[in-house]
Amino acid sequence: MTRNRKKKLAIRAEADGGSHARAARLHTPAPKEILTADLHDRLINAFQVEGWPVETDGFPEGGIWTSWLGPVWSMLSRPGGTDTEADPDDPDHYDLTTVPELTLITPKIPINSGEAMVLTLPGTTPLTDLVHTVGEELGRARASKVDELVNNAQCSLCGDRYPAAHLLPATEHDRLLHCPFCVFDGDTLGGHPLRLAYLIDALTDEDAAAPAGWSAVTAPLACAAGPDFRERLEGDDGVLRLPLPHWFDPGQVWVWLPPGDLPPALQGLGPGTSLNTLVMAVEAAHPDLRDRFHAEMAGILEEDEKDSPPAAQDYLVEQLWPAVICYAVTTATQFRERPHRQSPWDLLTDGFEEGTLADHFHQIGSTLIPQSFRSMLTLTIGVPLISNVLGLKPDYEH
């Protein structure tokens, strides 16, 4: 009897153990599927919310979601696939429980210059951490590349020295190379803004240390452009690349912020931001900027008793206001990144000339040509004013 009882207990224990094992298997959740499409959408949204200009193909090509976050090339893919032409969320070709991989590279086109930054992160990295990490590493990468620069050429007008690749021909003559602060100078004759637009894009896409001032040149041209600017750019003979979106949406211009301590208006924007976000941040912190411009202009007009010009408020060309803010910030960026070169504020004293601006505006089909004198004053008066208000201009430069 005892022997049989022991046997029954053993059989019951084995059965109970099996039941527990089966129950555990039934109640253990299956590995969760991770869709790259969802991760990519959240990635794009996170950087847009933080003010980064974003471009994306909108579909995975070769198993990779590609996007461009400001000056960063982003690729989201799923490791372990057997068919690179398959959708990375196709369960017949990929294990959807594997964590996708995110690779971020700057510059966007590193073929000739090499990568200044390469980050590889899990695609499931928390978005706040992701944006913060990319911003910090991007700032470090640019600073490192700026420190390595060799100034082996000089601007044809001001004589300031730069790396040869950082000077661009603002006219049709390749031998006349300009720095960003001399493009609109009165001694720059025969400007060629359509060609310059492509050269700026090529430089900034390929060089993480390209001068911050080229964003400032981009801004007034993009802001002033007429409705047929896209057609003019795309119809430019001999150009093999498409113009970037910021030429038709100036709010998407990438603006490098000054390294080091930033004024309160720029706190939290990282190493750079979109022009649209920059303008909103500056105006939120200083909503009286236009009033200050009008007051400054009124004082200048009052000193000139020989003329009877229009009222001071008529001199502010609103269409160029974002470009004024861009110039103020990038001038400070260039000053801090190139402290032993000429002061960019000194160069801007004569950096805008009515006839030169009118010539550029004419070629981009701008409606501002009749207002070129007021355009010049908007930039000439507005840039130092905003620089001073933000506290970006050194005391000895005031």
Side-chain angles (χ1 to χ4, degrees):
M1 186 74 177
T2 303
R3 187 183 311 132
N4 291 339
R5 186 170 183 274
K6 286 183 178 179
K7 184 176 180 180
K8 290 178 181 179
L9 289 174
I11 293 171
R12 184 179 298 171
E14 183 179 352
D16 289 344
S19 297
H20 289 313
R22 285 194 297 274
R25 286 196 299 271
L26 290 173
H27 289 90
T28 299
K32 185 178 180 180
E33 293 184 349
I34 305 171
L35 299 182
T36 60
D38 293 342
L39 291 180
H40 184 255
D41 287 345
R42 290 199 286 268
L43 166 77
I44 295 301
N45 183 67
F47 279 88
Q48 287 177 328
V49 166
E50 291 299 319
W52 292 53
V54 172
E55 298 173 66
T56 179
D57 287 340
F59 58 89
E61 183 175 358
I64 299 174
W65 291 91
T66 299
S67 54
W68 293 270
L69 317 169
V72 177
W73 175 21
S74 165
M75 292 172 286
L76 179 67
S77 60
R78 192 186 300 277
T82 58
D83 184 355
T84 58
E85 295 304 314
D87 187 303
D89 292 335
D90 184 345
D92 292 334
H93 293 84
Y94 292 94
D95 177 0
L96 302 190
T97 65
T98 60
V99 176
E101 186 175 84
L102 183 61
T103 303
L104 302 118
I105 297 173
T106 199
K108 290 192 289 187
I109 304 177
I111 297 174
N112 297 319
S113 59
E115 298 93 345
M117 177 194 81
V118 179
L119 288 177
T120 302
L121 300 169
T124 53
T125 302
L127 296 174
T128 301
D129 295 343
L130 175 62
V131 176
H132 177 74
T133 299
V134 174
E136 280 202 334
E137 293 301 319
L138 177 62
R140 277 196 282 267
R142 177 172 170 83
S144 177
K145 287 298 183 180
V146 167
D147 288 343
E148 296 172 4
L149 295 177
V150 177
N151 299 307
N152 56 1
Q154 65 181 33
C155 174
S156 299
L157 287 186
C158 70
D160 203 2
R161 298 189 65 79
Y162 285 79
H166 289 183
L167 299 171
L168 300 177
T171 70
E172 62 182 358
H173 302 293
D174 287 339
R175 68 180 182 278
L176 298 176
L177 301 177
H178 293 67
C179 75
F181 299 97
C182 290
V183 170
F184 302 118
D185 188 282
D187 291 330
T188 302
L189 303 177
H192 199 324
L194 301 179
R195 180 190 187 206
L196 182 61
Y198 286 105
L199 294 174
I200 292 174
D201 285 353
L203 173 60
T204 54
D205 274 358
E206 297 174 14
D207 194 333
W214 286 119
S215 296
V217 175
T218 301
L221 293 176
C223 288
D228 64 342
F229 188 36
R230 180 188 296 271
E231 183 179 347
R232 294 190 184 205
L233 272 177
E234 294 178 349
D236 199 19
D237 293 337
V239 175
L240 299 179
R241 59 183 292 162
L242 292 174
L244 295 180
H246 54 224
W247 292 109
F248 323 116
D249 180 6
Q252 297 301 304
V253 172
W254 175 261
V255 183
W256 288 109
L257 301 187
D261 294 335
L262 292 174
L266 306 182
Q267 291 290 336
L269 294 182
T273 190
S274 69
L275 179 55
N276 185 56
T277 301
L278 175 65
V279 170
M280 289 192 296
V282 169
E283 292 195 322
H286 301 281
D288 62 339
L289 282 178
R290 288 173 180 78
D291 292 338
R292 293 194 186 198
F293 177 92
H294 296 147
E296 183 95 1
M297 196 70 238
I300 294 172
L301 297 177
E302 187 177 347
E303 293 176 2
D304 192 349
E305 300 177 354
K306 295 179 293 183
D307 299 323
S308 298
Q313 58 264 32
D314 294 338
Y315 279 87
L316 177 60
V317 178
E318 185 67 29
Q319 194 171 337
L320 291 177
W321 190 243
V324 174
I325 294 176
C326 186
Y327 256 106
V329 171
T330 54
T331 299
T333 304
Q334 190 126 340
F335 180 82
R336 292 189 187 179
E337 290 183 335
R338 299 168 49 83
H340 305 300
R341 307 268 66 85
Q342 288 195 56
S343 164
W345 282 286
D346 287 345
L347 295 176
L348 285 179
T349 301
D350 298 314
F352 305 110
E353 199 278 333
E354 176 185 1
T356 304
L357 285 173
D359 182 32
H360 282 79
F361 290 171
H362 171 73
Q363 294 189 54
I364 62 176
S366 177
T367 60
L368 297 182
I369 298 171
Q371 300 188 58
S372 57
F373 178 66
R374 295 176 186 177
S375 298
M376 179 193 72
L377 288 177
T378 296
L379 293 162
T380 302
I381 304 301
V383 173
L385 169 69
I386 293 177
S387 300
N388 290 333
V389 169
L390 293 177
L392 292 173
K393 199 173 181 184
D395 289 339
Y396 61 85
E397 293 285 348
H398 287 185

